[in-house]
Amino acid sequence: MPDELRGQRPTWAEIDLEHLEHNCRSIRRHIGVTTQMMAVVKADAYGHGAVAVSRRLQAIGVEWLAVALPEEGAALRDAGITAPILCLGGFWNDQADLLLQRRLTPVVYELNLVEELDAAAKMRRQSADYHLKVDSGMGRLGVPLEQLASFLSEVRKFTHVRMDGVLSHLASADLENHDPQTSRQGRVFEQAVRQIRAAGFQPRYRHLANSAATHAKPETWMEIVRPGAILYGLREDVLQPGGIDLRLEPVLALKSVIEQLKSVPKGSALGYGASFRTSRESRIATLPIGYHDGYPRALSNLGTVLVRGRRAPVVGRISMDLTLVDVTDIEGVRLGDEVTLIGQDGDQVILAEELARLSGTISYEIVCRISPRVPRLVRKTDAA
Ligand SMILES: *Cc1c(COP(=O)(O)O)cnc(C)c1O
């Protein structure tokens, strides 16, 4: 158990910033030097801890950071992050001034946002940059192509704002059999950019590529790519199979310890609803981690954890704060032993992707739902 956890429950996430840096450099080599990188650190850097992640990414020269909410951007500014920050989800009532104050660049997709930004900039006697989001076929945020002309003619009236970027988001770049949709979105985006330029706007940046497109669709790279998941080493449910191997390393591990260890007779019922009954005399370990911590309840009687480099199955229902595992077959197991729920122990590895597959979700949700109750510890390198 790490020293930092003295006086706390020993359940923690370990963040390996060397792996983050390795992944980032690998992506950089892949995209070359003419395309900038906008690292997506929304949702507390996909649960990895946005401040530590952003500091390292900024230190190794990532040009942009992207968050979902202005609040997330403000928290990074509070922590001393100076890199340009794009707020992907736009902004809400009365946040325009916050954007200017904290040097956050919003994405806009509705006229009222431009209007508010313009008013706030005017008050401050300055000019505010924004990136315009076009809906190229995802159907979520963005100005639809059919409404772009009228949007542009309205936007022109606001003199304290500048369209510095144009972006769109791909719906299915991770799915091989959806390549036609991805290409169609690319064409719609190109058409939108042509229309924007023809209307006299000169955005410096065009960006479209998420992780999957950064990996496999160079035609989408343009001035900036916006990878999120691959920075954190997620890949199996993020990227199309095949293509270049970016040699991504998982950045997050989730760990706990054995809090109680007991021998129970054959036929013992374990956990809520007695959903597991021992078929032999068993050694059962109780772990101080549950679904509130982000270990999905759907893994009840399905998941496995690593103890002493071996797999131990989750038995019974996962509860809010506690999980039971069967350690009967693990030799030498003791109270206080470290347990790996995500990560590597010896030659065994449990990826977030595995937990996702078993619990019917995607790796993104597994890592970003690790709750704030779980401290994030930056892993010390051997040299440190
Ligand atoms: C989250 C997000 C990304 C990053 O997606 P990944 O699949 O994690 O690379 C890129 N662009 C936008 C607009 C996003 O919301």
Side-chain angles (χ1 to χ4, degrees):
M1 184 186 86
D3 282 348
E4 295 104 299
L5 287 177
R6 264 198 220 135
Q8 288 181 65
R9 176 185 66 158
T11 292
W12 70 100
E14 230 165 67
I15 306 303
D16 191 329
L17 295 180
E18 305 313 316
H19 282 181
L20 176 77
E21 178 168 341
H22 162 92
N23 295 341
C24 183
R25 291 191 190 283
S26 172
I27 299 164
R28 176 73 81 190
R29 270 195 302 279
H30 179 53
I31 62 173
V33 290
T34 54
T35 296
Q36 297 191 0
M37 197 186 310
M38 179 184 285
V40 180
V41 296
K42 65 192 179 192
D44 203 23
Y46 294 39
H48 292 63
V51 169
V53 162
S54 300
R55 277 199 186 121
R56 176 60 68 97
L57 293 174
Q58 175 173 287
I60 60 174
V62 161
E63 289 89 353
W64 283 84
L65 298 168
V67 294
L69 326 180
E71 291 91 320
E72 294 176 329
L76 292 180
R77 290 284 181 250
D78 287 341
I81 300 293
T82 55
I85 297 177
L86 188 70
C87 301
L88 295 170
F91 61 98
W92 288 270
N93 295 333
D94 300 320
Q95 285 188 321
D97 196 63
L98 171 77
L99 295 171
L100 292 163
Q101 203 186 322
R102 311 313 302 271
R103 280 193 316 105
L104 306 171
T105 306
V107 164
V108 308
Y109 44 84
E110 282 282 352
L111 260 187
N112 70 312
L113 296 176
V114 181
E115 191 177 343
E116 282 188 42
L117 190 65
D118 183 80
K122 191 171 174 183
M123 286 280 279
R124 286 178 165 264
R125 298 167 192 279
Q126 65 182 87
S127 170
D129 286 345
Y130 66 88
H131 289 203
L132 175 65
K133 189 158 189 184
V134 176
D135 181 2
S136 59
M138 173 90 155
R140 218 172 55 171
L141 288 183
V143 179
L145 198 56
E146 311 77 58
Q147 290 165 29
L148 190 57
S150 73
F151 185 93
L152 294 174
S153 69
E154 291 294 323
V155 128
R156 200 187 290 294
K157 299 174 185 158
F158 299 105
T159 53
H160 295 81
V161 291
R162 182 178 70 152
M163 187 194 300
D164 200 28
V166 187
L167 71 149
S168 190
H169 196 39
L170 297 170
S172 314
D174 54 322
L175 303 172
E176 245 173 328
N177 53 357
H178 283 59
D179 278 346
Q181 182 190 6
T182 304
S183 311
R184 198 174 331 114
Q185 285 198 259
R187 286 194 300 276
V188 171
F189 186 62
E190 269 171 38
Q191 206 178 326
V193 170
R194 270 200 303 277
Q195 206 175 321
I196 287 163
R197 287 182 173 156
F201 295 88
Q202 295 171 317
R204 284 185 294 168
Y205 305 107
R206 297 165 300 160
H207 46 112
L208 184 58
N210 58 2
S211 286
T214 299
H215 173 238
K217 301 266 180 297
E219 67 277 14
T220 64
W221 292 349
M222 295 174 272
E223 286 78 36
I224 299 180
V225 294
R226 300 191 308 264
I230 53 175
L231 281 169
Y232 309 107
L234 307 176
R235 59 212 147 142
E236 280 174 21
D237 52 12
V238 174
L239 303 179
Q240 288 194 10
I244 185 174
D245 181 1
L246 293 171
R247 299 186 177 280
L248 303 171
E249 300 282 357
V251 175
L252 178 143
L254 180 62
K255 298 189 172 176
S256 191
V257 300
I258 295 179
E259 181 180 24
Q260 193 179 10
L261 188 59
K262 58 184 115 180
S263 298
V264 301
K266 178 178 171 179
S268 300
L270 300 176
Y272 283 122
S275 66
F276 186 88
R277 210 169 274 278
T278 54
S279 60
R280 56 179 176 173
E281 185 183 347
S282 305
R283 294 281 279 166
I284 302 298
T286 305
L287 315 179
I289 182 169
Y291 59 77
H292 175 66
D293 299 298
Y295 195 60
R297 186 171 175 277
L299 294 175
S300 298
N301 293 310
L302 267 183
T304 54
V305 305
L306 305 179
V307 181
R308 292 182 178 258
R310 305 203 35 205
R311 287 196 177 237
V314 171
V315 288
R317 296 252 166 85
I318 291 164
S319 45
M320 196 180 287
D321 316 298
L322 297 169
T323 295
L324 300 175
V325 296
D326 183 341
V327 292
T328 314
D329 296 326
I330 297 172
E331 223 167 285
V333 67
R334 290 169 62 168
L335 202 63
D337 273 357
E338 193 168 295
V339 176
T340 302
L341 298 102
I342 299 174
Q344 182 163 9
D345 182 4
D347 53 15
Q348 287 288 325
V349 182
I350 296 176
L351 295 177
E353 287 93 321
E354 175 183 335
L355 302 194
R357 212 181 319 114
L358 289 172
S359 60
T361 183
I362 53 174
S363 58
Y364 297 72
E365 189 178 356
I366 295 292
V367 291
C368 87
R369 289 187 76 173
I370 296 173
S371 81
R373 186 163 82 169
V374 178
R376 271 63 173 175
L377 304 186
V378 170
R379 196 187 149 139
K380 301 275 183 295
T381 55
D382 295 336

